[in-house]
Amino acid sequence: MKPIQVGLLGAGTVGSGTFKVLQRNQEEIKRRAGRGIEITMVADLDTTRAQAVAGEGVQVVNDARAVIANPDIDIVIELIGGYGIARQLVLEAIAAGKHVVTANKALLAVHGTEIFAAAHAKGVMVAFEAAVAGGIPIIKALREGLTANSIQWIAGIINGTTNFILSEMRDKGLDFETVLKEAQRLGYAEADPTFDIEGVDAAHKVTLMSAIAFGTAVQFDKAHVEGITKLAAQDIKYAEQLGYRIKLLGITKRKANGIELRVHPSLVPSKRLLANVEGAMNAVVVNGDAVGTTLYYGKGAGSEPTASAVIADLVDITRLHTADAAHRVPHLAFHPHAMSDLEILPMREVVTSYYLRMRVADEAGVLAKVTGLLATAGISIDAVLQREADEVGGEGSTQTDVIILTHDVREGTLDDAMAQLQALPTVLAPIVRLRKEELS
Ligand code: HSE
């Protein structure tokens, strides 16, 4: 059978990896897919670079629409990124009857509903394994491997840049700004790292996982997004002393009244595998009612790891494209007519546990006042750590840090209690609050 023909939009790092891996493993990939897979046309504004990536014999153009218009192309790979022209081109490729493979988490998290509806109407597939956690086959696992389960929760380290920064902050006791500069110098962080450090990239990814896990629409606009820019080295140190590490987690949970969807720094018990994922690596923990807790670990970015996911999608499409659309795996795991209307919960309804750091006057009765106020609010304390005043503020200091870990409480209740704590005259600085996930 003649090879399936693929057009590539964007010949950057992942495009280059896709060429290399397809070339290197072509025989095995063909034996798995049932026929050859060939990228026969590439569009990139830098045609010289693209020709160098694609090699001789591949048609290179600077106009993506020429690829979409080519009737011989069966699948279009979109590796341009962003929500602008990429959205337009993906919609045009779908309208032209092409299957689409994309690594574009931002596009699908924001415009997924429109794109999946267009693909469904046209009877084509939009595959996006590479959009979440790079080379880790987490979409496949959620959508197919765990299909027997009622998925209860997902928690993931799904941004390598921030995990690298947090690992360095902990290892070297350095503050965020210093480590960010070093990460940029080493090429671990982009020149403009905003999406990574503000948690937006992780929120795009957890939004997609949440939709697949619970069969809801893709709702990035309802996700709570908090990055690591305000995280102090001091809190990483105190968390360590209490037996926790701080990770930027993407979390989604099924609750009786809705779904939690949030990205923020979280304390995780040091003994959990997730707490020991270091450097730029990614890991996702999924809890299903039948299987229990499962863990997926690997490289979340990079040329060949991401190409591994892109090619897995190419193979899937090659195997399935002749099947009638109703017998393919649905884009979001559930058939479009059977989606759930569970709401994303506001943060005040989220239930989790907390780390509070308070700078207080080191005098009699302060701790009693703080714990008394929490008790009145019905907030149960799990652990308390009080530092020596001298250690915190230098010799003769009259201030100290009190760190409190709570048991689970509704965030709205905690917020109200914190406002009262903050108003105490003996609480001398803004209280630092971090969320904590036991992941048990
Ligand atoms: N910038 C992302 C990360 C990789 O640091 O993990 C692409 O999503």
Side-chain angles (χ1 to χ4, degrees):
M1 198 185 296
K2 112 179 189 324
I4 199 155
Q5 297 203 22
V6 181
L8 172 65
L9 312 184
T13 312
V14 178
S16 146
T18 304
F19 267 105
K20 279 192 204 138
V21 178
L22 265 181
Q23 176 70 32
R24 189 169 72 233
N25 298 339
Q26 62 178 316
E27 267 317 303
E28 277 192 70
I29 290 169
K30 182 176 175 183
R31 280 160 51 209
R32 289 181 175 128
R35 63 194 277 200
I37 298 175
E38 274 179 13
I39 302 177
T40 53
M41 196 170 179
V42 178
D44 197 290
L45 292 177
D46 184 344
T47 50
T48 312
R49 176 186 73 164
Q51 196 71 69
V53 164
E56 293 306 312
V58 176
Q59 188 186 355
V60 173
V61 293
N62 64 7
D63 176 11
R65 291 191 167 95
V67 175
I68 293 169
N70 182 341
D72 294 332
I73 297 290
D74 304 294
I75 308 172
V76 170
I77 307 177
E78 183 273 307
L79 297 176
I80 296 168
Y83 331 88
I85 187 68
R87 170 178 161 271
Q88 206 51 47
L89 292 172
V90 164
L91 288 170
E92 286 176 25
I94 291 168
K98 314 291 186 196
H99 302 287
V100 172
V101 172
T102 178
N104 192 335
K105 63 237 57 170
L107 175 66
L108 294 180
V110 176
H111 297 290
T113 301
E114 177 190 24
I115 289 169
F116 294 131
H120 181 68
K122 195 73 190 175
V124 296
M125 290 173 268
V126 174
F128 53 98
E129 186 63 73
V132 181
I136 304 174
I138 188 64
I139 300 298
K140 190 85 168 172
L142 285 170
R143 203 159 54 175
E144 298 176 52
L146 299 176
T147 201
N149 288 262
S150 167
I151 293 175
Q152 300 301 302
W153 54 263
I154 300 173
I157 295 172
I158 43 182
N159 182 268
T161 306
T162 45
N163 203 51
F164 173 81
I165 293 172
L166 292 176
S167 301
E168 290 288 292
M169 285 174 74
R170 187 181 72 82
D171 269 3
K172 300 182 178 155
L174 296 171
D175 63 26
F176 170 77
E177 288 298 340
T178 309
V179 177
L180 173 62
K181 284 204 187 87
E182 181 65 0
Q184 283 173 310
R185 196 182 64 75
L186 294 171
Y188 282 104
E190 309 268 349
D192 179 0
T194 314
F195 265 29
D196 292 320
I197 62 179
E198 296 292 358
V200 178
D201 175 74
H204 287 148
K205 294 168 183 167
V206 74
T207 295
L208 292 172
M209 291 196 289
S210 181
I212 292 173
F214 306 124
T216 54
V218 178
Q219 298 173 80
F220 173 70
D221 56 328
K222 304 240 177 78
H224 173 84
V225 189
E226 222 178 291
I228 62 167
T229 54
K230 296 193 190 83
L231 198 63
Q234 201 178 7
D235 293 308
I236 295 179
K237 194 180 78 192
Y238 286 151
E240 188 100 30
Q241 289 168 8
L242 287 157
Y244 292 84
R245 291 193 180 163
I246 299 180
K247 295 291 184 187
L248 182 72
L249 294 187
I251 298 167
T252 186
K253 293 187 182 181
R254 181 198 296 265
K255 292 290 166 80
N257 53 343
I259 287 167
E260 295 183 6
L261 180 59
R262 48 195 169 99
V263 169
H264 50 71
S266 301
L267 276 77
V268 179
S270 306
K271 61 183 182 227
R272 297 270 180 269
L273 288 170
L274 203 58
N276 293 281
V277 172
E278 298 287 20
M281 299 304 283
N282 280 201
V284 182
V285 180
V286 183
N287 181 275
D289 67 337
V291 73
T293 300
T294 56
L295 171 72
Y296 309 83
Y297 170 87
K299 289 187 178 151
S303 178
E304 292 203 8
T306 311
S308 164
V310 167
I311 295 168
D313 281 344
L314 292 177
V315 171
D316 261 0
I317 292 174
T318 305
R319 285 169 173 160
L320 288 173
H321 79 295
T322 52
D324 74 277
H327 290 97
R328 296 182 191 140
V329 182
H331 293 114
L332 293 176
F334 293 74
H335 283 278
H337 65 270
M339 299 291 279
S340 156
D341 55 7
L342 272 173
E343 297 283 340
I344 306 294
L345 294 168
M347 281 308 281
R348 278 183 71 84
E349 297 306 320
V350 160
V351 174
T352 188
S353 54
Y354 296 85
Y355 161 106
L356 304 177
R357 169 165 62 85
M358 282 168 274
R359 176 59 59 95
V360 295
D362 190 17
E363 57 190 51
V366 171
L367 195 56
K369 218 173 238 148
V370 167
T371 54
L373 203 147
L374 290 173
T376 307
I379 300 169
S380 169
I381 294 172
D382 180 29
V384 178
L385 176 72
Q386 183 172 344
R387 307 311 306 161
E388 296 279 337
D390 289 357
E391 187 192 315
V392 171
E395 188 136 339
S397 169
T398 56
Q399 303 181 4
T400 192
D401 282 340
V402 170
I403 296 98
I404 292 181
L405 300 184
T406 75
H407 285 298
D408 276 357
V409 51
R410 200 181 65 93
E411 184 144 324
T413 307
L414 195 273
D415 281 348
D416 296 345
M418 255 182 71
Q420 291 182 44
L421 286 173
Q422 193 67 74
L424 292 174
T426 44
V427 173
L428 306 173
I431 299 170
V432 173
R433 182 196 69 179
L434 294 166
R435 299 180 187 88
K436 174 163 88 65
E437 295 297 322
E438 290 297 327
L439 303 178
S440 50

